[in-house]
Amino acid sequence: MSIGCGPRGDIHLTQPYLPEWQRDVHLQSEQVYWAAGKYVERILAEFPLPGATTGKPNYLFYLRFPVGEKKPMVAARKWPTMCGFIIQIRGEYAGLASITGGKAVIRGTSQATNATRQLNIELNCEDGSKIVGRLRAKRDDWYVTKFENRRRPADVQALINKSPKPVDTKSE
């Protein structure tokens, strides 16, 4: 699948515990953003209902990973370098699932205001869900920060609080 030049998300969300019609959901979006930070970059993808690429979000996908990390991981045996969650915000099966395992490959290191980030992801969630796909995010620090501070502050803060805190040797 080619994801072109603009922001784009194309993922498969497998939820083995749900009824057949919602067990394997293909989600696409043109609403994919990233934000820079001193130590951490963040990705936000808002997915509408399956079959649409724009519109009111039904799923929110959020990731945090260290600046410059090309292959962040969430793993039990190695120090996790990435954390995140996916939320279904409407419907019978609405709820949040934290990412507990998996990996991503990230391309793009420019910090310019028009820079993009491309991610290939293979992630596992605490509820048994799997997320596999590709994202191309455009930079929008304001939009991601608004999500973190106004739209979902409790969810983001809970994620930060339960994430292990690595020693930051760069700032010592």
Side-chain angles (χ1 to χ4, degrees):
M1 170 210 56
S2 172
I3 58 174
C5 296
R8 181 99 176 137
D10 193 327
I11 65 171
H12 287 275
L13 173 61
T14 304
Q15 306 168 103
Y17 53 89
L18 292 184
E20 190 173 320
W21 63 274
Q22 210 169 357
R23 198 167 291 151
D24 187 26
V25 181
H26 182 207
L27 300 171
Q28 296 180 304
S29 180
E30 295 176 10
Q31 298 156 234
V32 185
Y33 312 100
W34 76 274
K38 188 172 184 179
Y39 302 108
V40 177
E41 291 186 0
R42 295 102 63 215
I43 298 282
L44 171 63
E46 300 178 331
F47 293 95
L49 290 168
T53 59
T54 61
K56 194 170 184 177
N58 199 57
Y59 296 86
L60 303 172
F61 176 73
Y62 178 77
L63 279 179
R64 299 173 65 86
F65 52 88
V67 171
E69 183 76 30
K70 301 264 191 251
K71 294 183 179 181
M73 297 176 56
V74 182
R77 287 193 256 160
K78 292 188 175 187
W79 191 261
T81 58
M82 177 175 54
C83 61
F85 55 73
I86 189 163
I87 304 173
Q88 181 176 338
I89 56 176
R90 283 188 286 291
E92 183 178 352
Y93 302 104
L96 180 145
S98 293
I99 294 168
T100 57
K103 61 184 177 178
V105 176
I106 300 170
R107 286 181 289 179
T109 58
S110 171
Q111 296 293 314
T113 57
N114 64 346
T116 61
R117 294 289 179 268
Q118 295 180 48
L119 288 83
N120 290 337
I121 56 173
E122 294 179 20
L123 304 170
N124 302 314
C125 298
E126 65 188 344
D127 64 358
S129 297
K130 295 185 185 305
I131 305 167
V132 176
R134 293 177 58 175
L135 303 167
R136 181 180 174 93
K138 73 175 184 174
R139 184 168 179 180
D140 194 329
D141 296 339
W142 179 86
Y143 195 82
V144 175
T145 301
K146 180 181 170 188
F147 171 83
E148 295 167 327
N149 296 332
R150 292 192 180 157
R151 291 177 52 205
R152 298 304 246 194
D155 295 326
V156 172
Q157 193 58 53
L159 176 68
I160 293 168
N161 289 345
K162 74 178 181 181
S163 298
K165 307 290 188 274
V167 175
D168 182 5
T169 57
K170 292 179 185 174
S171 65
E172 293 179 347

